[in-house]
Amino acid sequence: MPVAQPEMIPLLRSHLQLKNILLLVDLDRHSHVTLSHALRIQKLRESRIIACHLLPPAESTFVPEDPTRRWPDLERRRSELELKDLELHTRLKEVSHALLLENGPFHEVVPRIAEEYEIDLVVMGCHQHSTLAKLVFGSTAEELLRGTSLPVMTVGPRMTTVAEATPIRKILFATHFDEPSMHAASYALSLAMDDRGRVTLLHVVSDPRELRAKPQRRLMEIRSRLKRLIPEDADLFCSPEVLIEYGPPAQRILETAQREHSDLIVMGVRKPKYSGLASHAPHDVAYDVISQAPCPVLTLSS
């Protein structure tokens, strides 16, 4: 339960320039859901969507006598048809877009596309296939979450229906007061301003010892830090809520998103000190939130 009452704070007045959105699709049923959430972002800003499907890296071990050498060509042709089908049977055909079919490792292809097409936002789906989903997720989505400075919106496995083309009205911004959170704060507020939405700023106190000594004073300090995320001279546009809760961070973020009927969760993520390790962290808040969220999760690192 919240331990602090909501209060009024001003918003940062700035318009997000999202000219190009990279949509990564697996060409399965979940691709339609992922696309629908990308279109919610695209609609107001008239962004161009670059829809891309990544094929496995091309093999170089085939010999002329091997009949399986034709498999890569067949796979590419099938993917081309499915990508075209996604275009023809969704609202993608109604907006400015491009279709890409690429070969290569995820960590090499995505940065190249991002630079070539001047991508401002990446949208992708996340699947939870089994109890080993952490490893599946770590090899793709989480690698991108922490390996790029671009904002990444992930549509998790709990979202199974196509979203309506409505503005994003309710945004939950979860912060731990670290550097990535500072970047994420302005992003969340700018999205709310563009869509005439509302932001709920949430900080979760995960260690109960933090509130044992002078709890009221500590709560006032946290509230003050939340307010300092917003420029003092910003124009008043809407009335966000400030919430302070305590307990497991991922659980409290998810409960708040459910209770608030959030359209989007925004949070900062830390880049790993050593490349490749973040994907296999056993207790990662961002992963836990994304894999169970009732709405898309937008993450930013710095």
Side-chain angles (χ1 to χ4, degrees):
M1 297 294 294
V3 293
Q5 295 297 318
E7 61 179 321
M8 306 284 285
I9 58 176
L11 285 180
L12 173 64
R13 199 163 186 80
S14 62
H15 180 73
L16 280 177
Q17 298 295 322
L18 301 179
K19 295 182 179 180
N20 299 296
I21 297 174
L22 174 59
L23 172 67
L24 300 174
V25 291
D26 286 340
L27 298 179
D28 56 10
R29 295 177 61 185
H30 196 62
S31 296
H32 291 253
V33 179
T34 305
L35 169 61
S36 68
H37 286 283
L39 290 171
R40 294 186 73 182
I41 296 285
Q42 180 277 338
K43 184 177 181 180
L44 181 65
R45 299 161 186 85
E46 298 184 348
S47 312
R48 185 187 188 203
I49 292 184
I50 314 300
C52 177
H53 175 65
L54 296 183
L55 291 166
E59 296 286 348
S60 59
T61 58
F62 296 116
V63 295
E65 294 76 16
D66 187 352
T68 62
R69 67 185 183 276
R70 296 180 59 189
W71 180 87
D73 293 333
L74 294 175
E75 178 68 12
R76 169 170 284 273
R77 180 57 179 162
R78 182 186 66 83
S79 297
E80 287 175 349
L81 293 174
E82 292 182 354
L83 193 58
K84 191 66 177 179
D85 185 74
L86 179 69
E87 175 189 40
L88 295 176
H89 294 90
T90 64
R91 297 196 309 272
L92 180 61
K93 64 179 178 294
E94 302 171 3
V95 306
S96 176
H97 68 278
L99 303 180
L100 296 180
L101 198 58
E102 296 284 342
N103 281 98
F106 187 90
H107 66 278
E108 293 180 3
V109 176
V110 173
R112 174 174 58 78
I113 295 174
E115 181 178 0
E116 182 178 349
Y117 287 86
E118 299 182 336
I119 298 300
D120 301 301
L121 171 69
V122 179
V123 179
M124 66 185 306
C126 168
H127 301 272
Q128 194 167 11
H129 297 292
S130 66
T131 55
L132 296 178
K134 175 61 175 178
L135 298 179
V136 175
F137 179 80
S139 65
T140 55
E142 197 167 1
E143 180 182 341
L144 179 60
L145 295 185
R146 298 181 185 277
T148 180
S149 58
L150 289 171
V152 180
M153 188 173 80
T154 309
V155 180
R158 293 293 180 91
M159 282 160 281
T160 58
T161 58
V162 173
E164 297 182 1
T166 56
I168 296 175
R169 298 296 191 190
K170 296 182 179 180
I171 298 175
L172 174 62
F173 167 58
T175 176
H176 194 59
F177 299 121
D178 51 8
E179 184 179 351
S181 292
M182 304 305 134
H183 189 196
S186 61
Y187 215 92
L189 296 169
S190 296
L191 276 173
M193 179 173 303
D194 290 346
D195 289 358
R196 298 185 178 274
R198 188 189 69 182
V199 178
T200 297
L201 290 91
L202 170 68
H203 174 71
V204 180
V205 179
S206 57
D207 188 349
R209 294 173 297 181
E210 188 176 350
L211 298 178
R212 286 179 183 173
K214 300 180 180 180
Q216 293 302 320
R217 179 177 178 179
R218 179 58 184 146
L219 290 175
M220 290 180 63
E221 291 174 351
I222 294 173
R223 185 178 303 166
S224 177
R225 294 189 71 182
L226 285 170
K227 293 175 66 175
R228 287 201 298 272
L229 293 177
I230 316 301
E232 295 180 357
D233 58 349
D235 295 332
L236 184 64
F237 182 79
C238 65
S239 304
E241 291 183 321
V242 173
L243 296 179
I244 305 172
E245 300 200 5
Y246 61 93
Q251 181 180 341
R252 293 295 177 260
I253 292 170
L254 291 167
E255 289 174 351
T256 303
Q258 192 73 42
R259 184 177 66 245
E260 298 288 324
H261 302 287
S262 300
D263 296 314
L264 181 69
I265 297 172
V266 180
M267 56 193 302
V269 294
R270 297 186 182 96
K271 288 186 177 180
K273 292 182 179 179
Y274 304 100
S275 177
L277 294 183
S279 298
H280 305 284
H283 301 291
D284 186 88
V285 174
Y287 167 76
D288 290 341
V289 170
I290 289 171
S291 62
Q292 302 177 63
C295 60
V297 180
L298 180 66
T299 54
L300 297 98
S301 62
S302 61

